[in-house]
Amino acid sequence: MKVFRTVAEARGYRASVPSLALVPTMGAFHEGHLALMRVARESSPHVAVSLFVNPLQFGPSEDFTSYPRQEERDLSLAEEAGVEAVFVPSGDEIVGEGETEVRVLSVSQGYEGDVRPIHFTGVATIVLKLFSILAPTHAVFGLKDLQQCAVVRRLVKDLFLPIELVFLETVREPSGLAMSSRNAYLSDQDRERASTLVETLRWAAAEARREGAWTSQTYKEALMKIEAAGLVPDYIDAVDPWTMRPVQRVSDSTRLVAAARLGAVRLLDNIPVRNSA
Ligand code: PAF
């Protein structure tokens, strides 16, 4: 497996392959990342992973400095997953002076956009830089970060980027907890409490299916369930996944999104209303 640390090396590699499936990541790989890498291989025999903890997407009080970094382990896991190249850019080169920003407007608003105001501008800026450097034919993202997927989809559409996006359902621990690099911050006891979020989403999805709608009663009961487990809910709602607008009548594409805090850790999850039993 090749490891590139400069834009020039990454560009040289890209020029040598006819197609490329890119999995953009911030490292600290878990089974969810490995699933993205395996799916990427179905799009192209040439799979590249980018590994960069992007400072632009962390707010001033967020965990940029403590975010788990384990490059050596990540590189060997990527190699085992059949990845051909890993791009590990330096902040100095890829962020540069931070003079140019990319903003995707309405889908970045609400939900994560309200709690983390600069987050999606940081994501869109770095993702566009990665797309511009590596010119992937395909790019694979996990639906765990649903709003991020919506932002990237809109970016690709509005900038006419010739990239096929692949979105993969969330990989979960046996308890149902969505896999996340930040789960490393949770104690065993916290992990158990954290799974209340997906349990509540599943309960709420069943209610929404039964009612054919997202009701204020389901909303209130869901909030109570999350709070009863000692979590502090940020939001729970039914949304159209590509506009990130709230919906009342549920359709085949509707997803329930939720976020809550458990101590200093933010938990984020979403599931489809249909097919989520
Ligand atoms: O999902 C992530 O790991 C990051 O937000 C991404 C897409 C790599 C951009 O930094």
Side-chain angles (χ1 to χ4, degrees):
M1 189 181 70
K2 306 168 184 86
V3 179
F4 303 117
R5 294 184 189 272
T6 67
V7 170
E9 286 169 348
R11 283 226 156 109
Y13 160 70
R14 177 60 185 98
S16 71
V17 291
S19 64
L20 183 68
L22 173 66
V23 184
T25 81
M26 298 207 300
F29 294 159
H30 50 67
E31 200 38 56
H33 292 109
L34 303 181
L36 300 180
M37 295 173 206
R38 286 193 287 265
V39 162
R41 295 200 60 189
E42 291 168 18
S43 299
S44 167
H46 308 287
V47 173
V49 167
S50 63
L51 201 168
F52 180 61
V53 183
N54 171 25
L56 302 177
Q57 69 189 69
F58 289 78
S61 58
E62 293 182 19
D63 56 345
F64 173 67
T65 37
S66 58
Y67 194 84
R69 287 166 173 84
Q70 41 192 49
E71 187 184 307
E72 220 174 288
R73 179 176 172 275
D74 286 347
L75 291 179
S76 59
L77 287 173
E79 185 153 31
E80 276 169 37
V83 168
E84 186 172 74
V86 180
F87 178 38
V88 193
S90 74
D92 281 353
E93 188 174 30
I94 198 165
V95 176
E97 290 169 1
E99 188 56 26
T100 301
E101 280 185 352
V102 182
R103 267 196 318 136
V104 178
L105 301 180
S106 65
V107 286
S108 296
Q109 282 155 18
Y111 310 108
E112 287 309 286
D114 284 350
V115 182
R116 309 179 71 190
I118 60 139
H119 179 67
F120 291 118
T121 296
V123 169
T125 302
I126 218 70
V127 166
L128 184 60
K129 287 184 188 223
L130 292 168
F131 285 174
S132 161
I133 295 163
L134 285 161
T137 48
H138 300 79
V140 188
F141 293 84
L143 281 167
K144 155 90 167 48
D145 295 305
L146 180 70
Q147 198 167 2
Q148 169 170 283
C149 292
V151 166
V152 172
R153 185 172 181 261
R154 196 66 216 225
L155 177 81
V156 164
K157 177 175 184 284
D158 288 353
L159 299 183
F160 304 98
L161 301 177
I163 301 173
E164 194 178 309
L165 295 173
V166 179
F167 299 114
L168 196 68
E169 275 301 338
T170 304
V171 177
R172 299 181 179 278
E173 297 190 1
S175 67
L177 178 65
M179 290 211 179
S180 160
S181 303
R182 289 188 171 98
N183 289 354
Y185 301 146
L186 297 171
S187 66
D188 286 349
Q189 201 193 355
D190 282 349
R191 272 171 193 252
E192 223 169 277
R193 284 162 74 199
S195 60
T196 307
L197 195 64
V198 65
E199 282 159 21
T200 305
L201 281 169
R202 284 173 176 160
W203 170 84
E207 289 299 295
R209 280 197 299 276
R210 201 171 51 78
E211 303 267 0
W214 177 245
T215 66
S216 58
Q217 187 58 31
T218 306
Y219 169 73
K220 281 187 214 144
E221 281 187 48
L223 280 188
M224 279 178 346
K225 284 177 191 291
I226 295 170
E227 281 164 352
L231 310 184
V232 181
D234 280 334
Y235 57 78
I236 178 161
D237 208 354
V239 298
D240 173 286
W242 302 126
T243 61
M244 289 305 292
R245 292 296 101 201
V247 296
Q248 301 229 292
R249 298 233 66 82
V250 299
S251 71
D252 284 350
S253 62
T254 305
R255 295 184 79 98
L256 298 187
V257 290
R261 277 163 288 141
L262 176 50
V265 183
R266 267 192 94 239
L267 306 166
L268 187 66
D269 206 345
N270 72 91
I271 60 170
V273 169
R274 311 246 195 249
N275 310 319
S276 62

